[in-house]
Amino acid sequence: MAQQSAINFEQVVHLYYEALYRFAVSLARNVPDACDLTQEAFYRLATKGSALRDPSKAKSWLFTTLHREYLSRRRRENRFPHHEIEESSQELPTVSPKTIEAMEASEVMEFLMELDEPFRAPLVLFYLKDHSYREIADILEIPVGTVMSRLSRAKTMLRKLLTRKASQANSKIVNLSANPTHKTAQS
Amino acid sequence: MNKQEAKFILQAYRPGSEDAADPQFAEALEVARQTPELTRWLDEETALDEALGRKLQDTPIPADLKEKILVGRKLIQATPWWRQRAWLAAAASVALLLGLLVSLQSPAIPGQEFADYRHSMIEFAQHRMDGLDYKSEAIPDIRQWLASRSAHGGFVAPASLAGLLAKGCRLLQWNDQQVALICFSTDAGLVHLYVLDQDEMRGVPSSEQPVVRTLGDWQTTGWSQGGKVYLAASRGNSKLMRNLL
């Protein structure tokens, strides 16, 4: 019986630890805390033998536990800076998929990390594709309608950040090529 | 459903996911199919979502994370059925009844081995020790913190440790028992002091005859005092461990 539980635990780890870590790193905003949150979630699963009886429930249980633990630590430490991102416009700025493809994964993650947690968490779970939006609502312990509206707002905020980044990159290129002094100095 | 409502709902739509079967999405998709402008928007939206999702899936995973998680599992031995709460309550009632009816000497409940406990704590120190729950250099503060959590706040540190600078403490769980880890700092590295209730543990050394053992590159000293089991562990500080008590 004990051996069966151990096998199940390993299977559950194998199935979900990567997605769970990606969710954790988006919340914690750094690798050590993300590793710690991921380990903590599995540690708790290991001590709650009943959750292992149904591996499909273990998945949502792990994500819910990790999210609760993150919120609990944040309340205790209160060390995360709060970023207000303007979201007045309902019209989404245009961002091409090619722009995203040209970026590093870490760069995309950094943009996601700029969103406040209430918007960041549903958006990351949405992109991870491991959960239906109803499951996302269960994990975050918010109504389905709230998930929808937060997703919508999160997407608007993320695109604004990405557009801003793209325009900054463009302006840098223009400045360099249009600066004759810089060109002379280099030649 | 109008165009605006459909657009709002479809922002949460992921083609090929189980969401697609949801009637809400089905209705919104139907509106999109009848509106070329909305169809175009949905194509762009899903293409961008796909691109962002792929990038998120590319986020690298620390190479040793899985191993750390699995090692953590080994520290927690499965709770035997006879220690589970429901069974414990039922067993207690039956034992009481039997005790009243017959005066048989019941066999001792199997306890835990000190050697297993020591092994688990060293495994923890090697692979899972990644921080303290409470940081303080003051032993009274650490005692207070532990006491407020009913977790061995009255621990008795040997005189050789009491003179050291504390780092803080952390709470662990071993076989449903709470273990307090108090961390001390020495010139030759850290010293861990693990404290838990003696209860039914077997093979526990006494304070008169502490047991010094080396596990890997960790030196340990174990003893018991006042109903509590103490285990001190240090890496590279064998002299202190030998002369701890």
Side-chain angles (χ1 to χ4, degrees):
Chain A
M1 190 70 185
Q3 195 183 359
Q4 184 64 33
S5 292
I7 291 165
N8 286 342
F9 182 80
E10 287 196 24
Q11 284 174 340
V12 170
V13 171
H14 180 71
L15 284 171
Y16 307 128
Y17 88 100
E18 291 188 349
L20 202 65
Y21 168 79
R22 290 186 175 113
F23 181 46
V25 82
S26 77
L27 294 174
R29 293 170 163 153
N30 68 73
V31 171
D33 284 352
C35 286
D36 192 48
L37 281 169
T38 310
Q39 288 180 72
E40 182 69 27
F42 280 110
Y43 182 84
R44 292 193 185 183
L45 182 68
T47 56
K48 305 270 182 189
S50 57
L52 275 174
R53 285 179 195 150
D54 186 350
S56 65
K57 283 185 181 169
K59 182 176 78 166
S60 286
W61 190 94
L62 282 165
F63 278 83
T64 306
T65 301
L66 188 143
H67 186 244
R68 280 184 190 164
E69 177 63 18
Y70 162 74
L71 292 177
S72 162
R73 289 183 187 190
R74 195 182 64 162
R75 273 194 294 272
R76 280 201 303 266
E77 296 171 8
N78 195 25
R79 65 185 168 90
F80 291 95
H82 180 76
H83 296 272
E84 284 290 350
I85 297 165
E86 187 196 345
E87 46 162 326
S88 55
S89 168
Q90 286 301 309
E91 261 326 291
L92 294 180
T94 308
V95 180
S96 155
K98 284 182 182 172
T99 308
I100 307 301
E101 295 296 350
M103 293 167 77
E104 294 290 329
S106 59
E107 213 177 344
V108 172
M109 184 58 89
E110 278 171 25
F111 280 115
L112 284 164
M113 286 174 184
E114 286 195 42
L115 305 181
D116 282 341
E117 189 276 333
F119 302 102
R120 188 165 75 244
L123 191 61
V124 170
L125 290 173
F126 171 81
Y127 285 140
L128 285 175
K129 288 187 176 176
D130 278 309
H131 305 276
S132 69
Y133 71 101
R134 289 185 189 279
E135 285 173 336
I136 293 173
D138 287 342
I139 289 166
L140 302 178
E141 297 170 284
I142 53 176
V144 167
T146 310
V147 171
M148 305 285 253
S149 63
R150 285 189 186 176
L151 268 179
S152 173
R153 292 171 68 189
K155 282 185 167 188
T156 306
M157 289 188 265
L158 182 62
R159 284 180 204 195
K160 284 190 173 179
L161 289 168
L162 290 166
T163 310
R164 200 183 301 162
K165 159 82 178 175
S167 66
Q168 279 171 356
N170 286 338
S171 68
K172 276 180 191 167
I173 293 164
V174 170
N175 283 342
L176 280 172
S177 58
N179 187 341
T181 314
H182 183 78
K183 206 173 179 179
T184 309
Q186 278 204 331
S187 59
Chain B
M1 186 181 289
N2 64 32
K3 205 174 79 176
Q4 208 56 38
E5 286 167 339
K7 197 172 177 179
F8 174 77
I9 289 165
L10 291 173
Q11 279 189 342
Y13 175 68
R14 293 166 294 186
S17 72
E18 55 184 292
D19 292 343
D22 190 299
Q24 201 177 201
F25 285 119
E27 192 182 345
L29 283 168
E30 189 52 40
V31 174
R33 258 192 290 276
Q34 292 166 4
T35 320
E37 178 200 340
L38 204 53
T39 306
R40 214 166 28 250
W41 168 84
L42 183 60
D43 288 344
E44 289 170 5
E45 181 79 2
T46 51
L48 186 61
D49 285 342
E50 288 287 335
L52 283 162
R54 275 195 298 274
K55 285 292 168 187
L56 199 62
Q57 297 287 358
D58 286 345
T59 303
I61 309 293
D64 59 348
L65 179 61
K66 189 176 181 182
E67 188 193 349
K68 281 183 178 174
I69 294 166
L70 294 175
V71 166
R73 169 73 171 96
K74 288 178 188 169
L75 293 178
I76 311 148
Q77 294 178 358
T79 307
W81 64 266
W82 46 264
R83 284 186 69 97
Q84 289 174 6
R85 281 183 190 170
W87 281 104
L88 211 59
S93 307
V94 171
L96 187 65
L97 194 63
L98 284 175
L100 290 171
L101 293 174
V102 288
S103 60
L104 288 173
Q105 190 175 2
S106 53
I109 297 171
Q112 307 298 329
E113 289 285 349
F114 173 73
D116 293 340
Y117 166 67
R118 180 174 53 204
H119 183 73
S120 295
M121 294 305 106
I122 298 306
E123 258 196 321
F124 169 82
Q126 283 177 318
H127 302 292
R128 264 185 65 87
M129 180 56 185
D130 51 5
L132 297 164
D133 291 335
Y134 177 70
K135 289 179 183 173
S136 172
E137 294 180 352
I139 294 288
D141 290 349
I142 292 173
R143 283 189 191 286
Q144 195 176 5
W145 191 89
L146 290 171
S148 67
R149 285 156 182 79
S150 306
H152 315 295
F155 70 90
V156 180
S160 53
L161 288 185
L164 298 174
L165 200 61
K167 298 275 285 182
C169 60
R170 178 167 175 167
L171 293 180
L172 313 169
Q173 205 177 26
W174 184 76
N175 283 355
D176 288 342
Q177 293 183 71
Q178 202 162 44
V179 179
L181 159 60
I182 301 105
C183 195
F184 298 88
S185 182
T186 74
D187 291 341
L190 298 176
V191 175
H192 291 180
L193 178 65
Y194 298 90
V195 188
L196 93 163
D197 288 329
Q198 189 164 348
D199 286 346
E200 300 149 3
M201 190 182 282
R202 290 191 303 254
V204 179
S206 67
S207 57
E208 289 76 31
Q209 287 186 309
V211 170
V212 180
R213 286 280 184 278
T214 299
L215 294 173
D217 52 354
W218 285 79
Q219 283 81 45
T220 70
T221 302
W223 71 98
S224 57
Q225 189 177 346
K228 292 194 187 293
V229 178
Y230 293 88
L231 176 73
S234 175
R235 190 153 48 181
N237 207 334
S238 52
K239 192 178 171 187
L240 176 66
M241 286 298 105
R242 277 196 305 272
N243 304 301
L244 200 67
L245 297 182

